[in-house]
Amino acid sequence: MTDARFAEIEGHRPYLMRYALAQLRDAQLAEEAVQEALVSALENIATFGGKSTLRTWLTSILRFKVIDLQRRIISDRNNLEFTDFAAETGDESWLDDLFAPDGHWKAHPQSWGNPEAAFEQRRFWEVFERCLDGLPAAGGRVFFKREVMGEETEAICKAERITPSNCWVILHRARLGLRTCLEKNWFGKEASVG
Amino acid sequence: MDDDLNCREAVRLMSVALERILTEAETSLLQRHLSDCLDCRNFEVQVKFIHRAASRFRSGE
Ligand SMILES: [Zn+2]
């Protein structure tokens, strides 16, 4: 085990925390799962054949740790707190920040040029993560499960114990929030230059 | 027919389209709006980009 390899694995910790948090909704449990997964990864690094990316391999180890923990806490489930978003009311006033009363954009979406170029830049991913962190907690979780992990919306709603329509609103809001954040903090600045 | 979408409604439909297949009527309303509205065309490209960014984020490459 070289120091470089160790640092490389550690570099995925924030992503793994995000994954664990989305599944477990509890920072302490998530921390525990990630810690166990990383220890196990370091012990078994010799079995990593490079067939998948390192992140995918680490995530698959973490997945088992998460399932273990979920089994352990399943009896406490009813005590968990869920929605931190008042979607129940059908309140769409948050859209008023984006759209004028006549339904047109307040701030016109700009062209992002060739956005794929951003994938190659480490700083873009830092901004991307910061924007994810800026979403309301439920929005961040639901977006992560839907868009990053590719889970079905129906399964996500069930796990979050919210109705499909609330789930949809949370997701819709998260997408719009992420878009605004990226435009403000990345494309607004970079795309115009390059 | 006087039922053109405004941007707020068009954006809602684009989000719906990620969850289920739109009806023919919805599709044609949306297409008509998009052909007239640069803002929403930009938005459409951005949402697709975010979708691709999220999958990239997953593999960590
Ligand atoms: Zn429009």
Side-chain angles (χ1 to χ4, degrees):
Chain A
M1 166 67 47
T2 64
D3 285 353
R5 192 53 139 174
F6 182 76
E8 197 188 349
I9 288 178
E10 272 296 317
H12 291 281
R13 185 187 282 270
Y15 174 88
L16 297 173
M17 261 310 281
R18 195 180 295 283
Y19 175 95
L21 260 179
Q23 309 293 333
L24 294 165
R25 285 190 289 259
D26 180 298
Q28 211 178 328
L29 285 173
E31 192 84 53
E32 198 179 319
V34 169
Q35 195 53 40
E36 286 181 14
L38 288 179
V39 167
S40 155
L42 290 170
E43 285 168 2
N44 296 293
I45 189 67
T47 67
F48 172 61
K51 272 182 197 152
S52 61
T53 65
L54 182 61
R55 175 170 293 183
T56 305
W57 184 69
L58 292 170
T59 307
S60 65
I61 295 171
L62 176 59
R63 203 169 73 92
F64 286 110
K65 301 293 176 193
V66 164
I67 291 171
D68 270 359
L69 278 174
Q70 273 170 336
R71 284 208 193 100
R72 255 192 272 161
I73 62 171
I74 208 127
S75 57
D76 299 336
R77 272 246 146 162
N78 293 334
N79 302 328
L80 284 178
E81 268 193 40
F82 284 92
T83 322
D84 56 345
F85 176 62
E88 290 82 1
T89 59
D91 176 13
E92 289 202 344
S93 57
W94 60 276
L95 281 169
D96 297 341
D97 291 341
L98 292 171
F99 298 100
D102 68 358
H104 283 92
W105 290 93
K106 274 188 183 167
H108 304 281
Q110 303 299 306
S111 165
W112 286 0
N114 169 27
E116 256 75 6
F119 288 158
E120 308 310 323
Q121 289 176 260
R122 178 177 289 269
R123 274 198 39 247
F124 168 75
W125 293 108
E126 290 166 12
V127 171
F128 187 80
E129 292 216 36
R130 273 216 313 279
C131 286
L132 277 182
D133 290 339
L135 296 174
R141 280 200 307 272
V142 173
F143 180 89
F144 188 85
K145 288 181 179 177
R146 179 76 183 115
E147 295 278 10
V148 180
M149 300 314 296
E151 291 180 24
E152 292 300 327
T153 308
E154 205 185 332
I156 299 169
C157 303
K158 256 191 204 148
E160 293 279 328
R161 297 207 290 187
I162 43 184
T163 66
S165 72
N166 286 351
C167 199
W168 182 84
V169 171
I170 290 173
L171 198 51
H172 185 49
R173 187 176 187 177
R175 283 194 187 106
L176 287 170
L178 198 58
R179 189 209 75 88
T180 306
C181 182
L182 289 177
E183 179 147 294
K184 207 179 275 171
N185 294 293
W186 182 263
F187 291 105
K189 293 173 181 160
E190 311 281 326
S192 54
V193 184
Chain B
M1 272 202 322
D2 187 23
D3 56 359
D4 284 350
L5 298 179
N6 62 36
C7 295
R8 181 168 164 158
E9 293 159 344
V11 161
R12 167 181 280 275
L13 266 193
M14 282 187 253
S15 217
V16 170
L18 296 169
E19 302 301 330
R20 65 165 169 84
I21 295 168
L22 297 182
T23 66
E24 252 175 63
E26 288 169 335
T27 305
S28 76
L29 276 173
L30 181 58
Q31 288 314 319
R32 198 159 51 174
H33 181 86
L34 286 175
S35 65
D36 287 341
C37 182
L38 177 62
D39 288 350
C40 285
R41 285 204 298 279
N42 283 337
F43 175 82
E44 187 188 28
V45 171
Q46 293 164 2
V47 168
K48 286 179 179 163
F49 166 76
I50 287 171
H51 183 70
R52 286 193 300 278
S55 336
R56 279 254 181 165
F57 186 54
R58 177 182 182 176
S59 67
E61 286 195 312

